[in-house]
Amino acid sequence: MRRFGLAIVLAAVAALAGCSNVAYVAQALQGHLDLLQRSRPVEDWLADPATPPALHARLELAQRLRAFAVAELKLPDNRSYKRYAELDRKAVVWNVVAAPELSLKLQTWCWPVMGCVGYRGYFQRDGADALAAELKAEGREVWVYGVPAYSTLGWSEWLGGDPLLSTFIGWSEGELARLVFHELAHQVAYAQDDTPFNESFATAVERLGVRRWLDQRADAAVRAEYERSDARRRAFRALIGETREALRTLYASDADDATKRARKAELMAAMRARHAALKAGEWAGYAGYDAWFDNANNAALGVQAAYDEWVPAFERLFEAEGADFKRFYAEVARLAALPKAERRAALAAAAATGVDE
């Protein structure tokens, strides 16, 4: 499982707008500028004899993926992913999400121009942990997670675009393709104050794009590896989706809080038991989701919904536009410009057509 954040660009916008949260804005801007200063053109890395062969191969692959995204998926042809930066950490940003004890509704932070989002990002883990401690002291359930990449929505073009990073360059071919396609999709359309719309759209593009990449450019071994990881991902999403819906129904019920707490504990225990069964069975011991289930709470379940909620609607919208990416993006941009209620209604109508795969 992975997570991608847009939080840092929000901080930059807030700084330009005179946001009073000076310390947060300062760490955001300083962190992003440090990232850009560490990066240099991919062509320089490829020409440098000191570049390790494994990194050389991954950078070449990333450039092929980027070219494919432009030519086949009609994603932006700009300066993003033409530079690479080595970082001294496993995540570029740590995001903090929080939710009440008996609700899946994420706490939001709002910014000028960009609207509200259900997470807050920090370039240093200690900053994220400090905020998490404050939120826990207020009685909220909190999750802190590392983000391997984030998008500046194309606004950093004049600074060289979004760079490739050591936090994800070593991923398998299929997973690297997912990331590149997802992050470039964020530069196509953005709906203010609607994280589920933005993330579901990018997730739909990544899925559509990876299918084409695997069919057209990948060998049998890469396809087989991706199918294994994607099967686990689908099972993970199905499991937590069922748990999330059961909790949503529970929290909205007329039961008293004590009953809700007891039933919540049962649902969470059942979810973890089903994960253990998957791990012992068809996943053949795969431990990649262990940390998520060990720390699962309302916040973790709530943020996952943003990446899944409208994906079927966007996939059906793509088919309705004749599987033409340019027409699809134009329609998505039109929806992004609508009032939120109208946008949600249009997506719901799209989701109601056809049958899930």
Side-chain angles (χ1 to χ4, degrees):
M1 183 184 57
R2 60 193 172 91
R3 290 285 183 273
F4 306 111
L6 303 175
I8 215 64
V9 74
L10 303 179
V13 172
L16 294 174
C19 177
S20 60
N21 196 340
V22 177
Y24 177 70
V25 168
Q27 70 84 30
L29 292 176
Q30 181 179 356
H32 185 63
L33 290 174
D34 175 68
L35 183 70
L36 295 176
Q37 290 169 355
R38 289 171 182 256
S39 70
R40 58 191 176 105
V42 168
E43 60 188 24
D44 290 357
W45 288 93
L46 295 177
D48 188 345
T51 299
L55 176 58
H56 193 283
R58 303 310 291 175
L59 291 174
E60 286 187 325
L61 171 61
Q63 297 311 284
R64 294 198 300 275
L65 288 168
R66 189 192 169 286
F68 181 87
V70 172
E72 299 294 330
L73 310 182
K74 310 305 178 185
L75 289 168
D77 185 8
N78 54 29
R79 300 172 73 184
S80 288
Y81 302 125
K82 292 184 177 181
R83 299 178 68 86
Y84 172 72
E86 285 278 358
L87 303 183
D88 54 3
R89 55 191 189 271
K90 294 183 178 180
V92 61
V93 171
W94 283 267
N95 276 358
V96 181
V97 290
E101 178 192 10
L102 297 175
S103 172
L104 295 171
K105 183 175 177 59
L106 296 179
Q107 177 167 332
T108 58
W109 288 268
C110 300
W111 307 91
V113 181
M114 301 299 293
C116 301
V117 294
Y119 50 85
R120 186 155 168 157
Y122 291 82
F123 276 97
Q124 298 297 326
R125 178 65 190 255
D126 57 357
D129 288 340
L131 175 61
E134 293 177 12
L135 294 169
K136 287 178 182 178
E138 295 172 0
R140 293 175 176 81
E141 295 188 356
V142 181
W143 186 40
V144 178
Y145 60 95
V147 175
Y150 64 85
S151 172
T152 57
L153 308 179
W155 292 1
S156 68
E157 180 72 5
W158 64 284
L159 291 171
D162 298 335
L164 297 162
L165 302 172
S166 56
T167 51
F168 61 79
I169 195 66
W171 288 5
S172 68
E173 183 172 324
E175 297 304 307
L176 183 58
R178 289 180 64 222
L179 185 147
V180 170
F181 302 158
H182 183 109
E183 297 302 330
L184 286 175
H186 277 309
Q187 299 184 19
V188 172
Y190 181 84
Q192 185 182 35
D193 195 18
D194 199 342
T195 298
F197 177 92
N198 298 321
E199 293 299 343
S200 294
F201 164 63
T203 299
V205 172
E206 87 178 35
R207 293 188 192 179
L208 294 166
V210 169
R211 289 174 197 162
R212 292 198 179 194
W213 173 265
L214 294 175
D215 289 344
Q216 299 179 22
R217 305 295 175 88
D219 60 29
V222 169
R223 290 195 295 272
E225 179 183 32
Y226 184 81
E227 287 304 321
R228 287 191 295 271
S229 66
D230 196 49
R232 290 191 296 263
R233 186 163 38 247
R234 290 195 302 269
F236 167 77
R237 286 172 171 162
L239 172 54
I240 67 171
E242 292 172 13
T243 303
R244 188 170 58 239
E245 290 309 307
L247 286 170
R248 183 175 285 124
T249 299
L250 172 67
Y251 295 153
S253 73
D254 294 330
D256 59 49
D257 286 356
T259 300
K260 288 181 180 180
R261 290 189 183 99
R263 180 56 181 154
K264 172 187 175 182
E266 293 174 357
L267 290 170
M268 297 296 280
M271 179 184 71
R272 292 187 172 97
R274 290 176 62 187
H275 166 244
L278 283 169
K279 183 178 175 182
E282 60 192 81
W283 287 5
Y286 178 75
Y289 292 107
D290 283 9
W292 191 92
F293 283 100
D294 289 344
N295 297 285
N297 58 20
N298 287 338
L301 286 161
V303 75
Q304 178 63 36
Y307 291 79
D308 301 335
E309 183 175 0
W310 296 114
V311 173
F314 281 114
E315 290 177 330
R316 288 167 185 158
L317 185 61
F318 176 72
E319 294 302 324
E321 295 299 329
D324 182 297
F325 279 101
K326 288 186 176 180
R327 286 173 50 188
F328 173 53
Y329 297 154
E331 177 61 12
V332 171
R334 186 188 71 81
L335 293 177
L338 293 175
K340 190 172 184 178
E342 292 183 30
R343 182 165 59 245
R344 293 295 181 88
L347 288 174
T353 63
V355 179
D356 283 331
E357 294 180 342

